[in-house]
Amino acid sequence: MNKRVVKRNGDELFPLGIGAMRLPTKNNSIDRESAQDFILFAIENGVNYIDTAYAYHGGESESFLGDILSLSGSDGVKYRDKVKLSTKLPSWMVRSREDMDAFLNEQLRKLQTDVIDYYYVHSVDLSTILRLKDLGLYEFLEKAKTDGKIRNIGFSYHGSPHEFQTLIDDFPWDMVLVQYNYLDVNAQAGIRGIQYAYENDIAVFVMEPLKGGLLAGELPQEVSALFNEVDSSKSSVDWALSWVFNQKEITCVLSGMGSLDQMKENMSIAERVEIGSLSDEEIDVLDKAQGIFNSMMKINCTGCGYCLPCPRGVNIPDCFNVYNEKYLFDKKAFGVLPHAMVNYYVVVGGITNKQASAGLCNHCGRCKSLCPQSLDIPNELDRVKSEFELLGFNYQIKFVKNVAMPSINKISKVFDFFKHF
């Protein structure tokens, strides 16, 4: 099968991995039967990388995977022995060095394993890493690796382009997990950051190749027409995933599949698209599609990051990216809430990392003088603020971060405890 090699350890990975954040659900919980069929089908057909996290599915994801991977296949081999398993330290919940050990030991127990193959520090930017570093993060990671509890060390990135290289150079990371798709070429780590990681033999794992599903369904009419002129048989999913799989810098892609049909489609694409296999015409049409999307954007930000760092901590490119998303795609999260609104709260609102929302701007004007697009950034941030930061915004963020999320995790621990009786 079409495998990619992790340079530092020689692991051969199928280029498509399972992201256990969007498993099939029923009654607000994991649909265990459907999710089990989904996961076992993938493993039995060559997928050998599974990614989860402490907070996924309200803390249920790790325990569920532990149960599934403890099963044995028809060959008598445990499924755990057929895959590389990754999970993540919940950075926003860590308050002490002791917390790090407690989370890791709990995760090992929930996953029913002695070692985690790929362990990430979850949802970080440079300031998050520096905070955790002061608490002893690097010593914790090195000791956990020496003790044989984790094999490879990385981080999932949600910061700004200008900080990524600094973070990469600060510790001997084995891998990174970054958002990347044909629209987000310059967002967060961006193509320059991905190339820098690759050049330093750091494996690059990709999340959001379909931009949270936005690139998987109906596209703007101009983009669909462009794709159909080249190949009317290819789906929007095919175009988006092929763009990522085509690049030599990418080790493995987590596409957030939630059904067996999606798994089969994604696997078929991963098996077919090899590094450098897209034609010049296909690459050109994807570049043109990106251009069409850019022309439709309300704020013509390229995500270059020259405006950063903001003295007030505003993540200007991500604020503009989410704002544009609202007008490019009319989609709902959880079938109810506006996708862009949920994205704003999570990405820059401060729920999982430091707040970086538009409302922090005080119109100092530094960013405006640095923008190569000559955008009136402070006034554009005002537009973003008025769109997303409704009455009580800061109180809502504090409630979700300090009350709702800890409560969800406590409840999941209680259920996990009683499950053993």
Side-chain angles (χ1 to χ4, degrees):
M1 296 181 72
N2 183 10
K3 297 286 183 70
R4 303 197 180 186
V5 178
V6 178
K7 293 181 182 179
R8 292 195 177 179
N9 60 28
D11 284 349
E12 295 184 350
L13 302 180
F14 186 65
L16 178 72
I18 297 173
M21 184 175 74
R22 296 189 178 96
L23 296 174
T25 59
K26 182 169 62 177
N27 299 325
N28 298 318
S29 187
I30 295 174
D31 184 338
R32 297 182 70 88
E33 183 177 350
S34 296
Q36 177 172 323
D37 291 344
F38 169 84
I39 290 170
L40 296 188
F41 173 87
I43 297 173
E44 289 167 356
N45 286 276
V47 174
N48 62 348
Y49 185 90
I50 300 180
D51 172 85
T52 186
Y54 187 85
Y56 289 174
H57 287 279
E60 187 184 0
S61 178
E62 288 176 329
S63 297
F64 170 74
L65 285 176
D67 292 340
I68 298 304
L69 296 179
S70 67
L71 302 175
S72 297
S74 57
D75 55 3
V77 179
K78 279 190 175 182
Y79 288 107
R80 173 66 184 93
D81 297 328
K82 298 181 179 184
V83 300
K84 301 299 180 183
L85 182 61
S86 80
T87 193
K88 309 176 187 75
L89 176 72
S91 61
W92 62 95
M93 299 177 69
V94 173
R95 296 293 178 266
S96 68
R97 170 69 175 78
E98 292 72 25
D99 284 347
M100 302 176 197
D101 289 302
F103 280 122
L104 175 57
N105 290 333
E106 181 185 356
Q107 290 172 297
L108 288 166
R109 178 180 58 79
K110 291 169 73 175
L111 289 164
Q112 301 181 41
T113 187
D114 295 325
V115 59
I116 294 167
D117 301 297
Y118 292 82
Y119 196 63
Y120 297 90
V121 187
H122 197 179
S123 188
V124 303
D125 55 13
L126 183 58
S127 65
T128 305
I129 288 293
L130 293 178
R131 178 182 73 82
L132 296 177
K133 184 178 176 181
D134 287 342
L135 297 177
L137 173 68
Y138 292 168
E139 293 80 6
F140 157 72
L141 293 171
E142 289 170 341
K143 186 176 188 302
K145 195 170 185 177
T146 300
D147 291 347
K149 293 183 176 182
I150 59 178
R151 291 198 173 105
N152 301 281
I153 299 169
F155 62 90
S156 68
Y157 191 64
H158 290 274
S160 304
H162 76 284
E163 295 180 343
F164 186 75
Q165 183 172 332
T166 301
L167 211 167
I168 285 287
D169 292 340
D170 202 48
F171 185 79
W173 307 102
D174 298 303
M175 71 281 182
V176 292
L177 177 60
V178 298
Q179 177 174 326
Y180 192 51
N181 54 69
Y182 70 81
L183 289 192
D184 293 330
V185 176
N186 295 310
Q188 299 183 9
I191 182 60
R192 286 178 294 180
I194 287 172
Q195 289 172 344
Y196 186 77
Y198 176 80
E199 290 163 1
N200 285 275
D201 292 339
I202 297 172
V204 177
F205 292 77
V206 166
M207 57 182 164
E208 304 296 351
L210 302 175
K211 201 172 176 63
L214 295 175
L215 299 178
E218 185 177 351
L219 301 175
Q221 186 174 354
E222 297 92 329
V223 176
S224 294
L226 188 67
F227 285 158
N228 288 336
E229 286 179 11
V230 175
D231 188 344
S232 60
S233 67
K234 290 179 69 169
S235 66
S236 56
V237 172
D238 199 330
W239 281 107
L241 290 183
S242 294
W243 184 86
V244 184
F245 288 136
N246 188 63
Q247 300 178 43
K248 69 180 185 298
E249 293 86 358
I250 308 307
T251 302
C252 185
V253 176
L254 309 171
S255 67
M257 301 164 288
S259 70
L260 192 56
D261 286 342
Q262 290 176 0
M263 169 66 72
K264 290 177 179 179
E265 180 185 19
N266 287 198
M267 287 183 65
S268 175
I269 298 166
E271 290 169 352
R272 185 185 75 249
V273 181
E274 299 182 2
I275 293 171
S277 64
L278 290 189
S279 67
D280 291 342
E281 183 182 23
E282 289 170 318
I283 294 173
D284 181 60
V285 80
L286 282 159
D287 288 342
K288 288 179 179 177
Q290 184 189 77
I292 292 173
F293 274 112
N294 289 338
S295 70
M296 296 173 63
M297 290 180 179
K298 292 288 185 178
I299 302 175
N300 190 28
C301 173
T302 64
C304 68
Y306 287 117
C307 56
L308 301 173
C310 166
R312 295 280 295 171
V314 180
N315 188 327
I316 298 166
D318 275 356
C319 286
F320 290 169
N321 186 40
V322 176
Y323 182 80
N324 284 324
E325 175 189 307
K326 177 177 180 179
Y327 290 95
L328 288 172
F329 308 99
D330 181 23
K331 297 200 176 181
K332 304 291 184 182
F334 315 115
V336 179
L337 301 173
H339 187 281
M341 180 67 77
V342 173
N343 213 11
Y344 189 82
Y345 274 55
V346 172
V347 174
V348 298
I351 289 176
T352 59
N353 47 28
K354 189 176 180 180
Q355 185 172 356
S357 61
L360 298 174
C361 175
N362 65 352
H363 282 240
C364 73
R366 177 186 177 276
C367 54
K368 186 174 178 179
S369 65
L370 295 172
C371 178
Q373 309 300 319
S374 300
L375 296 176
D376 187 350
I377 292 177
N379 284 330
E380 297 290 11
L381 287 172
D382 284 345
R383 291 170 59 192
V384 176
K385 177 184 176 181
S386 65
E387 192 80 43
F388 293 110
E389 299 183 32
L390 307 179
L391 184 65
F393 172 77
N394 288 324
Y395 290 106
Q396 293 171 35
I397 294 295
K398 288 179 181 179
F399 174 79
V400 174
K401 186 173 184 177
N402 299 319
V403 179
M405 290 185 67
S407 297
I408 290 171
N409 285 317
K410 286 179 182 178
I411 292 170
S412 70
K413 287 181 181 180
V414 171
F415 278 113
D416 190 50
F417 173 78
F418 282 107
K419 191 175 70 172
H420 295 282
F421 290 88

